[in-house]
mmCIF file of all heavy atoms in Angstrom:
data_model
loop_
_atom_site.group_PDB
_atom_site.id
_atom_site.type_symbol
_atom_site.label_atom_id
_atom_site.label_comp_id
_atom_site.label_asym_id
_atom_site.label_seq_id
_atom_site.Cartn_x
_atom_site.Cartn_y
_atom_site.Cartn_z
ATOM 1 N N ASP M 1 -57.280 32.486 13.795
ATOM 2 C CA ASP M 1 -56.003 32.773 13.145
ATOM 3 C C ASP M 1 -56.017 32.144 11.761
ATOM 4 O O ASP M 1 -55.866 30.931 11.624
ATOM 5 C CB ASP M 1 -54.835 32.223 13.971
ATOM 6 C CG ASP M 1 -53.476 32.592 13.394
ATOM 7 O OD1 ASP M 1 -53.414 33.166 12.278
ATOM 8 O OD2 ASP M 1 -52.463 32.306 14.053
ATOM 9 N N HIS M 2 -56.183 32.966 10.727
ATOM 10 C CA HIS M 2 -56.276 32.437 9.371
ATOM 11 C C HIS M 2 -54.922 32.008 8.804
ATOM 12 O O HIS M 2 -54.845 31.538 7.685
ATOM 13 C CB HIS M 2 -56.982 33.430 8.435
ATOM 14 C CG HIS M 2 -56.314 34.771 8.356
ATOM 15 N ND1 HIS M 2 -56.521 35.745 9.295
ATOM 16 C CD2 HIS M 2 -55.454 35.277 7.463
ATOM 17 C CE1 HIS M 2 -55.809 36.804 8.986
ATOM 18 N NE2 HIS M 2 -55.153 36.552 7.871
ATOM 19 N N ASN M 3 -53.849 32.112 9.596
ATOM 20 C CA ASN M 3 -52.532 31.641 9.157
ATOM 21 C C ASN M 3 -52.272 30.183 9.540
ATOM 22 O O ASN M 3 -51.258 29.618 9.157
ATOM 23 C CB ASN M 3 -51.435 32.530 9.744
ATOM 24 C CG ASN M 3 -51.524 33.942 9.204
ATOM 25 O OD1 ASN M 3 -51.659 34.145 8.008
ATOM 26 N ND2 ASN M 3 -51.485 34.918 10.081
ATOM 27 N N ILE M 4 -53.184 29.583 10.290
ATOM 28 C CA ILE M 4 -53.052 28.178 10.682
ATOM 29 C C ILE M 4 -53.266 27.305 9.450
ATOM 30 O O ILE M 4 -54.122 27.587 8.621
ATOM 31 C CB ILE M 4 -54.084 27.825 11.778
ATOM 32 C CG1 ILE M 4 -53.763 28.594 13.059
ATOM 33 C CG2 ILE M 4 -54.129 26.323 12.034
ATOM 34 C CD1 ILE M 4 -54.823 28.457 14.139
ATOM 35 N N THR M 5 -52.479 26.244 9.352
ATOM 36 C CA THR M 5 -52.642 25.267 8.274
ATOM 37 C C THR M 5 -53.367 24.057 8.833
ATOM 38 O O THR M 5 -53.009 23.564 9.909
ATOM 39 C CB THR M 5 -51.272 24.833 7.718
ATOM 40 O OG1 THR M 5 -50.551 25.997 7.304
ATOM 41 C CG2 THR M 5 -51.430 23.903 6.535
ATOM 42 N N VAL M 6 -54.369 23.562 8.115
ATOM 43 C CA VAL M 6 -55.109 22.370 8.517
ATOM 44 C C VAL M 6 -54.701 21.236 7.583
ATOM 45 O O VAL M 6 -54.953 21.296 6.384
ATOM 46 C CB VAL M 6 -56.638 22.602 8.434
ATOM 47 C CG1 VAL M 6 -57.387 21.342 8.847
ATOM 48 C CG2 VAL M 6 -57.050 23.784 9.297
ATOM 49 N N ASN M 7 -54.045 20.216 8.140
ATOM 50 C CA ASN M 7 -53.660 19.033 7.380
ATOM 51 C C ASN M 7 -54.665 17.933 7.676
ATOM 52 O O ASN M 7 -54.826 17.530 8.829
ATOM 53 C CB ASN M 7 -52.256 18.561 7.765
ATOM 54 C CG ASN M 7 -51.204 19.599 7.469
ATOM 55 O OD1 ASN M 7 -51.178 20.172 6.394
ATOM 56 N ND2 ASN M 7 -50.343 19.861 8.435
ATOM 57 N N ILE M 8 -55.341 17.432 6.652
ATOM 58 C CA ILE M 8 -56.335 16.378 6.832
ATOM 59 C C ILE M 8 -55.654 15.038 6.599
ATOM 60 O O ILE M 8 -54.999 14.834 5.569
ATOM 61 C CB ILE M 8 -57.520 16.576 5.871
ATOM 62 C CG1 ILE M 8 -58.173 17.927 6.168
ATOM 63 C CG2 ILE M 8 -58.519 15.437 5.999
ATOM 64 C CD1 ILE M 8 -59.214 18.348 5.191
ATOM 65 N N ILE M 9 -55.813 14.141 7.567
ATOM 66 C CA ILE M 9 -55.151 12.845 7.550
ATOM 67 C C ILE M 9 -56.188 11.743 7.333
ATOM 68 O O ILE M 9 -57.211 11.704 8.023
ATOM 69 C CB ILE M 9 -54.427 12.568 8.893
ATOM 70 C CG1 ILE M 9 -53.599 13.763 9.366
ATOM 71 C CG2 ILE M 9 -53.634 11.276 8.835
ATOM 72 C CD1 ILE M 9 -52.417 14.089 8.539
ATOM 73 N N LYS M 10 -55.910 10.863 6.385
ATOM 74 C CA LYS M 10 -56.718 9.658 6.170
ATOM 75 C C LYS M 10 -55.757 8.537 5.810
ATOM 76 O O LYS M 10 -54.868 8.724 4.986
ATOM 77 C CB LYS M 10 -57.746 9.860 5.061
ATOM 78 C CG LYS M 10 -58.853 10.799 5.468
ATOM 79 C CD LYS M 10 -59.959 10.862 4.445
ATOM 80 C CE LYS M 10 -61.004 11.843 4.961
ATOM 81 N NZ LYS M 10 -62.054 12.093 4.052
ATOM 82 N N GLY M 11 -55.943 7.378 6.438
ATOM 83 C CA GLY M 11 -55.050 6.253 6.164
ATOM 84 C C GLY M 11 -53.602 6.559 6.479
ATOM 85 O O GLY M 11 -52.714 6.169 5.720
ATOM 86 N N ASP M 12 -53.355 7.272 7.559
ATOM 87 C CA ASP M 12 -52.015 7.626 8.029
ATOM 88 C C ASP M 12 -51.255 8.585 7.110
ATOM 89 O O ASP M 12 -50.048 8.751 7.242
ATOM 90 C CB ASP M 12 -51.150 6.366 8.238
ATOM 91 C CG ASP M 12 -51.739 5.432 9.277
ATOM 92 O OD1 ASP M 12 -52.203 5.929 10.312
ATOM 93 O OD2 ASP M 12 -51.739 4.202 9.037
ATOM 94 N N ARG M 13 -51.943 9.202 6.142
ATOM 95 C CA ARG M 13 -51.278 10.113 5.198
ATOM 96 C C ARG M 13 -52.021 11.450 5.120
ATOM 97 O O ARG M 13 -53.227 11.491 5.279
ATOM 98 C CB ARG M 13 -51.240 9.515 3.800
ATOM 99 C CG ARG M 13 -50.398 8.284 3.691
ATOM 100 C CD ARG M 13 -50.425 7.758 2.262
ATOM 101 N NE ARG M 13 -49.442 6.719 2.116
ATOM 102 C CZ ARG M 13 -48.249 6.908 1.573
ATOM 103 N NH1 ARG M 13 -47.916 8.077 1.092
ATOM 104 N NH2 ARG M 13 -47.400 5.912 1.475
ATOM 105 N N ILE M 14 -51.276 12.504 4.815
ATOM 106 C CA ILE M 14 -51.905 13.803 4.566
ATOM 107 C C ILE M 14 -52.549 13.726 3.194
ATOM 108 O O ILE M 14 -51.868 13.518 2.195
ATOM 109 C CB ILE M 14 -50.880 14.949 4.614
ATOM 110 C CG1 ILE M 14 -50.265 15.076 6.002
ATOM 111 C CG2 ILE M 14 -51.535 16.261 4.193
ATOM 112 C CD1 ILE M 14 -49.150 16.098 6.106
ATOM 113 N N VAL M 15 -53.879 13.874 3.145
ATOM 114 C CA VAL M 15 -54.583 13.806 1.864
ATOM 115 C C VAL M 15 -54.984 15.186 1.362
ATOM 116 O O VAL M 15 -55.297 15.351 0.183
ATOM 117 C CB VAL M 15 -55.837 12.890 1.945
ATOM 118 C CG1 VAL M 15 -55.429 11.456 2.209
ATOM 119 C CG2 VAL M 15 -56.819 13.386 2.989
ATOM 120 N N GLU M 16 -54.964 16.158 2.258
ATOM 121 C CA GLU M 16 -55.351 17.514 1.855
ATOM 122 C C GLU M 16 -54.797 18.512 2.852
ATOM 123 O O GLU M 16 -54.717 18.246 4.044
ATOM 124 C CB GLU M 16 -56.879 17.608 1.813
ATOM 125 C CG GLU M 16 -57.411 18.911 1.298
ATOM 126 C CD GLU M 16 -58.937 18.948 1.269
ATOM 127 O OE1 GLU M 16 -59.578 17.921 1.530
ATOM 128 O OE2 GLU M 16 -59.464 20.027 0.995
ATOM 129 N N LYS M 17 -54.413 19.677 2.329
ATOM 130 C CA LYS M 17 -53.993 20.797 3.180
ATOM 131 C C LYS M 17 -54.957 21.940 2.913
ATOM 132 O O LYS M 17 -55.136 22.337 1.774
ATOM 133 C CB LYS M 17 -52.568 21.242 2.859
ATOM 134 C CG LYS M 17 -51.517 20.302 3.349
ATOM 135 C CD LYS M 17 -50.138 20.912 3.173
ATOM 136 C CE LYS M 17 -49.098 19.976 3.721
ATOM 137 N NZ LYS M 17 -48.027 20.665 4.376
ATOM 138 N N LYS M 18 -55.584 22.423 3.976
ATOM 139 C CA LYS M 18 -56.523 23.536 3.827
ATOM 140 C C LYS M 18 -55.896 24.785 4.411
ATOM 141 O O LYS M 18 -55.384 24.768 5.519
ATOM 142 C CB LYS M 18 -57.827 23.242 4.554
ATOM 143 C CG LYS M 18 -58.651 22.184 3.909
ATOM 144 C CD LYS M 18 -60.020 22.121 4.560
ATOM 145 C CE LYS M 18 -60.836 21.081 3.851
ATOM 146 N NZ LYS M 18 -62.098 21.569 3.398
ATOM 147 N N GLU M 19 -55.956 25.841 3.641
ATOM 148 C CA GLU M 19 -55.544 27.134 4.162
ATOM 149 C C GLU M 19 -56.801 27.870 4.571
ATOM 150 O O GLU M 19 -57.822 27.807 3.887
ATOM 151 C CB GLU M 19 -54.755 27.909 3.108
ATOM 152 C CG GLU M 19 -53.403 27.278 2.845
ATOM 153 C CD GLU M 19 -52.486 28.192 2.067
ATOM 154 O OE1 GLU M 19 -52.662 29.420 2.137
ATOM 155 O OE2 GLU M 19 -51.601 27.661 1.395
ATOM 156 N N LEU M 20 -56.708 28.545 5.675
ATOM 157 C CA LEU M 20 -57.871 29.236 6.220
ATOM 158 C C LEU M 20 -57.913 30.682 5.751
ATOM 159 O O LEU M 20 -56.894 31.274 5.420
ATOM 160 C CB LEU M 20 -57.825 29.187 7.744
ATOM 161 C CG LEU M 20 -57.764 27.788 8.351
ATOM 162 C CD1 LEU M 20 -57.581 27.884 9.855
ATOM 163 C CD2 LEU M 20 -59.015 27.007 8.016
ATOM 164 N N HIS M 21 -59.103 31.221 5.740
ATOM 165 C CA HIS M 21 -59.319 32.614 5.382
ATOM 166 C C HIS M 21 -60.247 33.223 6.419
ATOM 167 O O HIS M 21 -60.982 32.511 7.106
ATOM 168 C CB HIS M 21 -59.953 32.718 3.992
ATOM 169 C CG HIS M 21 -59.169 32.005 2.943
ATOM 170 N ND1 HIS M 21 -58.027 32.528 2.396
ATOM 171 C CD2 HIS M 21 -59.349 30.797 2.351
ATOM 172 C CE1 HIS M 21 -57.536 31.683 1.515
ATOM 173 N NE2 HIS M 21 -58.323 30.613 1.466
ATOM 174 N N LEU M 22 -60.197 34.539 6.518
ATOM 175 C CA LEU M 22 -61.146 35.202 7.410
ATOM 176 C C LEU M 22 -62.557 34.887 6.918
ATOM 177 O O LEU M 22 -62.855 35.093 5.747
ATOM 178 C CB LEU M 22 -60.939 36.719 7.396
ATOM 179 C CG LEU M 22 -59.768 37.254 8.195
ATOM 180 C CD1 LEU M 22 -59.573 38.729 7.898
ATOM 181 C CD2 LEU M 22 -59.975 37.043 9.672
ATOM 182 N N PRO M 23 -63.425 34.387 7.785
ATOM 183 C CA PRO M 23 -64.786 34.084 7.349
ATOM 184 C C PRO M 23 -65.574 35.360 7.101
ATOM 185 O O PRO M 23 -65.359 36.376 7.764
ATOM 186 C CB PRO M 23 -65.366 33.278 8.508
ATOM 187 C CG PRO M 23 -64.558 33.663 9.688
ATOM 188 C CD PRO M 23 -63.193 34.024 9.176
ATOM 189 N N LYS M 24 -66.470 35.324 6.142
ATOM 190 C CA LYS M 24 -67.316 36.482 5.828
ATOM 191 C C LYS M 24 -68.303 36.759 6.957
ATOM 192 O O LYS M 24 -68.748 37.880 7.139
ATOM 193 C CB LYS M 24 -68.077 36.228 4.530
ATOM 194 C CG LYS M 24 -67.182 35.935 3.352
ATOM 195 C CD LYS M 24 -67.353 36.969 2.282
ATOM 196 C CE LYS M 24 -66.545 36.645 1.061
ATOM 197 N NZ LYS M 24 -65.218 37.128 1.094
ATOM 198 N N GLN M 25 -68.629 35.697 7.700
ATOM 199 C CA GLN M 25 -69.594 35.835 8.795
ATOM 200 C C GLN M 25 -69.186 34.902 9.928
ATOM 201 O O GLN M 25 -68.756 33.784 9.688
ATOM 202 C CB GLN M 25 -70.980 35.442 8.270
ATOM 203 C CG GLN M 25 -72.041 35.309 9.321
ATOM 204 C CD GLN M 25 -73.376 34.930 8.711
ATOM 205 O OE1 GLN M 25 -73.901 35.674 7.903
ATOM 206 N NE2 GLN M 25 -73.921 33.805 9.089
ATOM 207 N N VAL M 26 -69.290 35.378 11.154
ATOM 208 C CA VAL M 26 -69.074 34.521 12.320
ATOM 209 C C VAL M 26 -70.328 34.557 13.175
ATOM 210 O O VAL M 26 -70.923 35.613 13.382
ATOM 211 C CB VAL M 26 -67.831 34.923 13.139
ATOM 212 C CG1 VAL M 26 -66.563 34.632 12.385
ATOM 213 C CG2 VAL M 26 -67.859 36.365 13.557
ATOM 214 N N VAL M 27 -70.715 33.385 13.639
ATOM 215 C CA VAL M 27 -71.932 33.258 14.439
ATOM 216 C C VAL M 27 -71.563 32.738 15.826
ATOM 217 O O VAL M 27 -70.901 31.709 15.950
ATOM 218 C CB VAL M 27 -72.939 32.299 13.760
ATOM 219 C CG1 VAL M 27 -74.196 32.154 14.601
ATOM 220 C CG2 VAL M 27 -73.281 32.791 12.365
ATOM 221 N N ASN M 28 -71.969 33.475 16.842
ATOM 222 C CA ASN M 28 -71.760 33.121 18.250
ATOM 223 C C ASN M 28 -70.286 32.943 18.626
ATOM 224 O O ASN M 28 -69.948 32.138 19.479
ATOM 225 C CB ASN M 28 -72.565 31.868 18.610
ATOM 226 C CG ASN M 28 -74.050 32.116 18.499
ATOM 227 O OD1 ASN M 28 -74.530 33.223 18.723
ATOM 228 N ND2 ASN M 28 -74.785 31.094 18.126
ATOM 229 N N VAL M 29 -69.427 33.712 17.981
ATOM 230 C CA VAL M 29 -68.011 33.719 18.325
ATOM 231 C C VAL M 29 -67.689 35.028 19.044
ATOM 232 O O VAL M 29 -67.012 35.043 20.056
ATOM 233 C CB VAL M 29 -67.125 33.569 17.068
ATOM 234 C CG1 VAL M 29 -65.656 33.672 17.419
ATOM 235 C CG2 VAL M 29 -67.427 32.253 16.369
#
């Protein structure tokens, strides 16, 4: 689901938010 938001946490804080995209290639999925 490329609509999921990934919040990366370091030191108890959100340091980065990654938005996902459809991958160009999927392996063994």
Side-chain angles (χ1 to χ4, degrees):
D1 185 353
H2 58 278
N3 295 313
I4 294 172
T5 304
V6 180
N7 298 313
I8 300 172
I9 313 292
K10 289 187 180 175
D12 299 318
R13 294 180 170 260
I14 296 175
V15 295
E16 185 180 353
K17 286 188 178 217
K18 289 189 178 233
E19 291 194 26
L20 303 174
H21 305 282
L22 283 171
K24 302 242 184 273
Q25 170 180 299
V26 291
V27 179
N28 296 329
V29 176

